[in-house]
Amino acid sequence: MKQNTAIFLLITLIKLTITSAIKDDILVFTVATNETDGFERYIDSAKKFSITPIVLGKGEKWKGGDMRRLGGGWKINLLKAALEQYHDNENEKIVLFTDAYDVIFLGQLGEIVQRFKNTGAQVLFGAEPFCWPNVELAPQYPEVSKGQRFLNSGMYIGYFPQIKNILNKKPIEDTEDDQLYFTQLYLDKDFRESQGIKLDHLNEIFQNMNGVSDTLEIKSVESKESGPETYFLKNIETSTEPLIVHGNGPSKLNLNYLSNYLPNGVWNSLDGCVQCKTNEIRLDKFKQKQWPLVYLALFIEMNTPFLEGFFKKINQLEYPKDKIHLFIHNAMKFHSDDVSSFIDVHGHQYLSVKQIRPQDGTTEWAARDLSLDQCSLKNCDVYFAVDSIAHIDNPFTLKLLIEQNRSVVAPMLVRPGKAWSNFWGSLTKDGFYARSNDYMDIVFSQKKGLWNVPFINSAYLINATLLKRYDRLKLTYNAPNVDADMAFCRNLRDLDVFMYVSNRVEFGHLINADTYDITRAEPDMYQIFENEQDWEEAFIHPEYSEHLNPEMKERQPCPDVYWSPVVTRKFCNALINMMESYGKWSSGKNEDERLEGGYEAVPTRDIHMNQVGWESHWLHFLQKYVRPLQEKIFLGYYNDPPKSLMNFVVRYKPDEQPSLRPHHDSSTYTINIALNQVGVDYEGGGCHFLRYNCSVTDTQLGWMLMHPGRLTHYHEGLIVTKGIRYIMVSFVDP
Ligand SMILES: *[C@@H]1O[C@H](CO)[C@@H](O)[C@H](O)[C@H]1NC(C)=O
Ligand SMILES: *[C@@H]1O[C@H](CO)[C@@H](O)[C@H](O)[C@H]1NC(C)=O
Ligand SMILES: *[C@@H]1O[C@H](CO)[C@@H](O)[C@H](O)[C@H]1NC(C)=O
Ligand SMILES: *[C@@H]1O[C@H](CO)[C@@H](O)[C@H](O)[C@H]1NC(C)=O
């Protein structure tokens, strides 16, 4: 019986809730002149709860003054006019007003109304911790023991008659301040009490964020079944779960952060971002001819390692080049040849090419602004900026970013293995870098999605309708004493344009140009520590890793002499160039001041790695790439890291030193990499192992010979009869 009663009560309760929701005649109003990103987010959040706001002022010119100072009276006048059409006797009608650009709904209208009724107020305004715009009015406010004391006019709810009374109490100019208007009425005790005006001190419904962002937490509860978790906002100071949140004033960025998770349903750990799948454009539904016209702007603002790889990836973007206008600003003389050779080979494939060279003396600011102008001039649909440090490894990047259909969206790029990326999760008060709570999770792709962030750079796509919509004087990279990208992002924030960074898939990575020293010959070779991944891509033989496989038998041209591919032609050419640029080849005499004892028994014409500042790099190469091969070939011998005091490039030349007499190496094992090609660069040469009467003469460029040093492998360098032979030698573990 008890159970039946409980069920009966429950059903009645549900019925009551439903009927009261229907009976309550609720009008939701907002004011928005422009369909900004913030406005769309507001509407999207409303839709989630089947709320249909009436938008006042749409398409009109804003008349409410500068909202960052005083203003907003126009909002009152618009609402006043809008309420004219309703009858005065509609006492049960409820009016809910919220701002739009910086507001999101987090709950059902029925719940909002229920909580409003529970307060017993006739009209309820949101509250905040600041008395604004007139701080001198603060003492007139009633004290509160808990929560926020002062009125905020960005969100309020009330019965129609009382709302009307308040709006019609006295006239207000469009440019006067709406918050001041409501404040003055609220502070009039008689009027306040007669109209039943209260403030939502404890944030039961309304959460104004300014000044209290720290008390807000995004909470989640696990789903009971296997579904995704549920997210909600919790005010940990008042222990409430507000239903509408307002990122007023400087807290706008905190709201952007919240809106990556709220309202519930935009993101969860199971599905990643759900919201980012709405409004996607499917390019494959269209013929390529109809695809958006792209303005691709490349910027070389600093000397950058691995620029060849950068251009290679630009060239490999899966997008018809005859839909792309190409713009290149190169500020670096050092890279002039790289740019020219890219344009010579691929330039003609693009719709057009515009080049700004170092000698033109154009600043980064001017060049970036110019590229936006050019994009407009060419009637582009999207603008894609890529800086030289941004390696777009995923060839579908451009296409995916277009399909994402956002005003501004960056592919997340990270220095491999580091927390250094092309976006900031948060900002300090003065607009510099700050870390958000979820920054590490995003950077390391523990969380995947499309994230609204306050700063992006290095590579991003802009929907070119922005260039039409906003004054180009406002949408500029140019600001005094500020980096171009910081100025630009600040302008986007001021215009309420959202910047997203996507890590839904892997797009690429960032180059670290911090230590790049172009005074060296072959500066890329020195980047083995800072840009390991790119170094490997450029310099390690493409078949190297297959040879680590224990199943793969190494070639053995002579007993216990093993042969494996390790480095690329680019490596070999670079190493030769490093040595020849340095040029101080040893004399080939026994006296050698570079050695500790000052004496070399079997001298060659050579240059040591430390003479060109490349010793630590070479030792790292030995440790990372040679050692694993050694462990596979000479089973059971381990020494990590390998030691080597003698690391050098030898030059064999008929009129200098064409050969080397038989000798033992003072090493546990020796490696010998052929840096150039027999039959092409030189004739003769090779290595002869006397004990086995066996020679290796058909050495292959980039391949390494590895053999034991002492006792068994007595060997000699065979005569080079023509040209020059270069080899790279190390005596490992002497
Ligand atoms: C709205 O758009 C107009 C141009 O249509 C612009 O002048 C104004 O600054 C914009 N206002 C906001 C709040 O973005
Ligand atoms: C792209 O986004 C806009 C809103 O920003 C929307 O109006 C449009 O329908 C979207 N395009 C597609 C194909 O969904
Ligand atoms: C650019 O934005 C406009 C307006 O939201 C949208 O209609 C259009 O589809 C977008 N274009 C591209 C290429 O994303
Ligand atoms: C060494 O090998 C060559 C052929 O490769 C052969 O002509 C010669 O007789 C061999 N010498 C000895 C000492 O076995």
Side-chain angles (χ1 to χ4, degrees), residues 40 281 292 381-382 401-403 405-407 461 463-465 469:
E40 274 175 30
I281 299 170
D381 297 308
V382 295
L401 293 179
I402 291 173
E403 295 191 319
N405 188 17
R406 291 296 189 274
S407 301
L461 188 85
N463 182 323
T465 56
R469 188 192 253 193

PDB file of all heavy atoms in Angstrom, residues 40 281 292 381-382 401-403 405-407 461 463-465 469, ligand 3:
ATOM      1  N   GLU A  40      25.688  32.858 -31.260  1.00  0.00           N
ATOM      2  CA  GLU A  40      25.364  31.495 -31.708  1.00  0.00           C
ATOM      3  C   GLU A  40      25.486  30.471 -30.580  1.00  0.00           C
ATOM      4  O   GLU A  40      24.699  29.540 -30.489  1.00  0.00           O
ATOM      5  CB  GLU A  40      26.260  31.094 -32.886  1.00  0.00           C
ATOM      6  CG  GLU A  40      25.653  31.569 -34.190  1.00  0.00           C
ATOM      7  CD  GLU A  40      26.540  31.326 -35.383  1.00  0.00           C
ATOM      8  OE1 GLU A  40      27.310  30.348 -35.352  1.00  0.00           O
ATOM      9  OE2 GLU A  40      26.460  32.127 -36.329  1.00  0.00           O
ATOM     10  N   ILE A 281      30.867  21.140 -42.534  1.00  0.00           N
ATOM     11  CA  ILE A 281      30.692  21.163 -43.988  1.00  0.00           C
ATOM     12  C   ILE A 281      31.298  19.869 -44.539  1.00  0.00           C
ATOM     13  O   ILE A 281      32.371  19.464 -44.102  1.00  0.00           O
ATOM     14  CB  ILE A 281      31.447  22.381 -44.590  1.00  0.00           C
ATOM     15  CG1 ILE A 281      30.887  23.679 -44.028  1.00  0.00           C
ATOM     16  CG2 ILE A 281      31.388  22.355 -46.097  1.00  0.00           C
ATOM     17  CD1 ILE A 281      31.717  24.909 -44.366  1.00  0.00           C
ATOM     18  N   PRO A 292      35.792  25.815 -51.418  1.00  0.00           N
ATOM     19  CA  PRO A 292      36.120  27.203 -51.067  1.00  0.00           C
ATOM     20  C   PRO A 292      37.476  27.640 -51.632  1.00  0.00           C
ATOM     21  O   PRO A 292      38.410  26.837 -51.725  1.00  0.00           O
ATOM     22  CB  PRO A 292      36.161  27.162 -49.536  1.00  0.00           C
ATOM     23  CG  PRO A 292      35.311  26.012 -49.151  1.00  0.00           C
ATOM     24  CD  PRO A 292      35.451  24.999 -50.233  1.00  0.00           C
ATOM     25  N   ASP A 381      37.434  32.597 -49.849  1.00  0.00           N
ATOM     26  CA  ASP A 381      36.434  32.126 -48.882  1.00  0.00           C
ATOM     27  C   ASP A 381      37.062  31.868 -47.526  1.00  0.00           C
ATOM     28  O   ASP A 381      36.431  32.076 -46.495  1.00  0.00           O
ATOM     29  CB  ASP A 381      35.783  30.835 -49.382  1.00  0.00           C
ATOM     30  CG  ASP A 381      35.030  31.068 -50.669  1.00  0.00           C
ATOM     31  OD1 ASP A 381      34.197  32.000 -50.701  1.00  0.00           O
ATOM     32  OD2 ASP A 381      35.279  30.346 -51.650  1.00  0.00           O
ATOM     33  N   VAL A 382      38.293  31.365 -47.548  1.00  0.00           N
ATOM     34  CA  VAL A 382      38.996  31.143 -46.282  1.00  0.00           C
ATOM     35  C   VAL A 382      40.447  31.587 -46.413  1.00  0.00           C
ATOM     36  O   VAL A 382      41.016  31.584 -47.504  1.00  0.00           O
ATOM     37  CB  VAL A 382      38.970  29.658 -45.827  1.00  0.00           C
ATOM     38  CG1 VAL A 382      37.566  29.207 -45.524  1.00  0.00           C
ATOM     39  CG2 VAL A 382      39.624  28.754 -46.852  1.00  0.00           C
ATOM     40  N   LEU A 401      40.001  21.473 -41.504  1.00  0.00           N
ATOM     41  CA  LEU A 401      39.746  22.750 -40.832  1.00  0.00           C
ATOM     42  C   LEU A 401      38.601  23.493 -41.519  1.00  0.00           C
ATOM     43  O   LEU A 401      37.768  24.111 -40.860  1.00  0.00           O
ATOM     44  CB  LEU A 401      41.005  23.618 -40.824  1.00  0.00           C
ATOM     45  CG  LEU A 401      42.180  23.116 -39.987  1.00  0.00           C
ATOM     46  CD1 LEU A 401      43.362  24.060 -40.107  1.00  0.00           C
ATOM     47  CD2 LEU A 401      41.804  22.926 -38.526  1.00  0.00           C
ATOM     48  N   ILE A 402      38.549  23.433 -42.828  1.00  0.00           N
ATOM     49  CA  ILE A 402      37.435  24.071 -43.539  1.00  0.00           C
ATOM     50  C   ILE A 402      36.128  23.392 -43.135  1.00  0.00           C
ATOM     51  O   ILE A 402      35.136  24.050 -42.815  1.00  0.00           O
ATOM     52  CB  ILE A 402      37.640  23.994 -45.065  1.00  0.00           C
ATOM     53  CG1 ILE A 402      38.798  24.893 -45.489  1.00  0.00           C
ATOM     54  CG2 ILE A 402      36.361  24.383 -45.804  1.00  0.00           C
ATOM     55  CD1 ILE A 402      39.197  24.774 -46.952  1.00  0.00           C
ATOM     56  N   GLU A 403      36.169  22.062 -43.105  1.00  0.00           N
ATOM     57  CA  GLU A 403      34.953  21.307 -42.774  1.00  0.00           C
ATOM     58  C   GLU A 403      34.465  21.602 -41.358  1.00  0.00           C
ATOM     59  O   GLU A 403      33.279  21.498 -41.060  1.00  0.00           O
ATOM     60  CB  GLU A 403      35.199  19.808 -42.965  1.00  0.00           C
ATOM     61  CG  GLU A 403      35.460  19.486 -44.422  1.00  0.00           C
ATOM     62  CD  GLU A 403      35.454  18.009 -44.746  1.00  0.00           C
ATOM     63  OE1 GLU A 403      35.992  17.208 -43.949  1.00  0.00           O
ATOM     64  OE2 GLU A 403      34.918  17.653 -45.804  1.00  0.00           O
ATOM     65  N   ASN A 405      34.138  24.384 -40.012  1.00  0.00           N
ATOM     66  CA  ASN A 405      33.189  25.505 -40.126  1.00  0.00           C
ATOM     67  C   ASN A 405      33.111  26.370 -38.864  1.00  0.00           C
ATOM     68  O   ASN A 405      32.064  26.509 -38.250  1.00  0.00           O
ATOM     69  CB  ASN A 405      31.795  24.965 -40.508  1.00  0.00           C
ATOM     70  CG  ASN A 405      30.799  26.073 -40.843  1.00  0.00           C
ATOM     71  OD1 ASN A 405      31.189  27.211 -41.098  1.00  0.00           O
ATOM     72  ND2 ASN A 405      29.512  25.751 -40.825  1.00  0.00           N
ATOM     73  N   ARG A 406      34.235  26.927 -38.488  1.00  0.00           N
ATOM     74  CA  ARG A 406      34.263  27.886 -37.390  1.00  0.00           C
ATOM     75  C   ARG A 406      34.885  29.189 -37.890  1.00  0.00           C
ATOM     76  O   ARG A 406      35.575  29.193 -38.903  1.00  0.00           O
ATOM     77  CB  ARG A 406      35.090  27.355 -36.206  1.00  0.00           C
ATOM     78  CG  ARG A 406      34.445  26.185 -35.473  1.00  0.00           C
ATOM     79  CD  ARG A 406      33.142  26.582 -34.823  1.00  0.00           C
ATOM     80  NE  ARG A 406      32.593  25.559 -33.946  1.00  0.00           N
ATOM     81  CZ  ARG A 406      31.812  24.546 -34.345  1.00  0.00           C
ATOM     82  NH1 ARG A 406      31.502  24.388 -35.614  1.00  0.00           N
ATOM     83  NH2 ARG A 406      31.349  23.671 -33.469  1.00  0.00           N
ATOM     84  N   SER A 407      34.654  30.261 -37.176  1.00  0.00           N
ATOM     85  CA  SER A 407      35.210  31.561 -37.590  1.00  0.00           C
ATOM     86  C   SER A 407      36.728  31.501 -37.681  1.00  0.00           C
ATOM     87  O   SER A 407      37.328  31.918 -38.659  1.00  0.00           O
ATOM     88  CB  SER A 407      34.826  32.650 -36.591  1.00  0.00           C
ATOM     89  OG  SER A 407      33.431  32.761 -36.495  1.00  0.00           O
ATOM     90  N   LEU A 461      43.046  28.775 -39.566  1.00  0.00           N
ATOM     91  CA  LEU A 461      42.150  29.058 -40.678  1.00  0.00           C
ATOM     92  C   LEU A 461      41.138  30.117 -40.241  1.00  0.00           C
ATOM     93  O   LEU A 461      40.583  30.021 -39.148  1.00  0.00           O
ATOM     94  CB  LEU A 461      41.412  27.771 -41.055  1.00  0.00           C
ATOM     95  CG  LEU A 461      40.569  27.837 -42.319  1.00  0.00           C
ATOM     96  CD1 LEU A 461      41.441  27.561 -43.534  1.00  0.00           C
ATOM     97  CD2 LEU A 461      39.445  26.818 -42.266  1.00  0.00           C
ATOM     98  N   ASN A 463      37.614  32.073 -41.491  1.00  0.00           N
ATOM     99  CA  ASN A 463      36.520  32.201 -42.453  1.00  0.00           C
ATOM    100  C   ASN A 463      36.514  33.649 -42.940  1.00  0.00           C
ATOM    101  O   ASN A 463      36.366  34.581 -42.143  1.00  0.00           O
ATOM    102  CB  ASN A 463      35.197  31.845 -41.767  1.00  0.00           C
ATOM    103  CG  ASN A 463      34.018  31.911 -42.718  1.00  0.00           C
ATOM    104  OD1 ASN A 463      33.953  32.758 -43.590  1.00  0.00           O
ATOM    105  ND2 ASN A 463      33.074  31.007 -42.525  1.00  0.00           N
ATOM    106  N   ALA A 464      36.664  33.826 -44.251  1.00  0.00           N
ATOM    107  CA  ALA A 464      36.876  35.176 -44.786  1.00  0.00           C
ATOM    108  C   ALA A 464      35.650  36.083 -44.664  1.00  0.00           C
ATOM    109  O   ALA A 464      35.770  37.293 -44.881  1.00  0.00           O
ATOM    110  CB  ALA A 464      37.335  35.101 -46.228  1.00  0.00           C
ATOM    111  N   THR A 465      34.502  35.529 -44.280  1.00  0.00           N
ATOM    112  CA  THR A 465      33.359  36.435 -44.045  1.00  0.00           C
ATOM    113  C   THR A 465      33.690  37.405 -42.905  1.00  0.00           C
ATOM    114  O   THR A 465      33.143  38.492 -42.842  1.00  0.00           O
ATOM    115  CB  THR A 465      32.061  35.673 -43.682  1.00  0.00           C
ATOM    116  OG1 THR A 465      32.318  34.853 -42.559  1.00  0.00           O
ATOM    117  CG2 THR A 465      31.573  34.830 -44.839  1.00  0.00           C
ATOM    118  N   ARG A 469      32.857  41.277 -42.538  1.00  0.00           N
ATOM    119  CA  ARG A 469      31.964  41.684 -41.465  1.00  0.00           C
ATOM    120  C   ARG A 469      32.570  42.751 -40.569  1.00  0.00           C
ATOM    121  O   ARG A 469      31.888  43.654 -40.118  1.00  0.00           O
ATOM    122  CB  ARG A 469      31.647  40.450 -40.632  1.00  0.00           C
ATOM    123  CG  ARG A 469      30.586  40.666 -39.598  1.00  0.00           C
ATOM    124  CD  ARG A 469      30.563  39.502 -38.650  1.00  0.00           C
ATOM    125  NE  ARG A 469      29.413  38.657 -38.874  1.00  0.00           N
ATOM    126  CZ  ARG A 469      29.045  37.714 -38.007  1.00  0.00           C
ATOM    127  NH1 ARG A 469      29.747  37.495 -36.936  1.00  0.00           N
ATOM    128  NH2 ARG A 469      28.008  36.978 -38.227  1.00  0.00           N
TER     129      ARG A 469
HETATM  130  C1  LIG B   3      31.899  31.062 -43.406  1.00  0.00           C
HETATM  131  O1  LIG B   3      30.925  31.542 -42.520  1.00  0.00           O
HETATM  132  C2  LIG B   3      29.656  31.732 -43.106  1.00  0.00           C
HETATM  133  C3  LIG B   3      28.771  32.400 -42.077  1.00  0.00           C
HETATM  134  O2  LIG B   3      28.755  31.685 -40.894  1.00  0.00           O
HETATM  135  C4  LIG B   3      29.110  30.385 -43.550  1.00  0.00           C
HETATM  136  O3  LIG B   3      27.866  30.542 -44.155  1.00  0.00           O
HETATM  137  C5  LIG B   3      30.079  29.802 -44.566  1.00  0.00           C
HETATM  138  O4  LIG B   3      29.664  28.497 -44.908  1.00  0.00           O
HETATM  139  C6  LIG B   3      31.473  29.729 -43.993  1.00  0.00           C
HETATM  140  N1  LIG B   3      32.352  29.363 -45.070  1.00  0.00           N
HETATM  141  C7  LIG B   3      33.310  28.471 -44.913  1.00  0.00           C
HETATM  142  C8  LIG B   3      34.103  28.141 -46.114  1.00  0.00           C
HETATM  143  O5  LIG B   3      33.537  27.947 -43.858  1.00  0.00           O
END
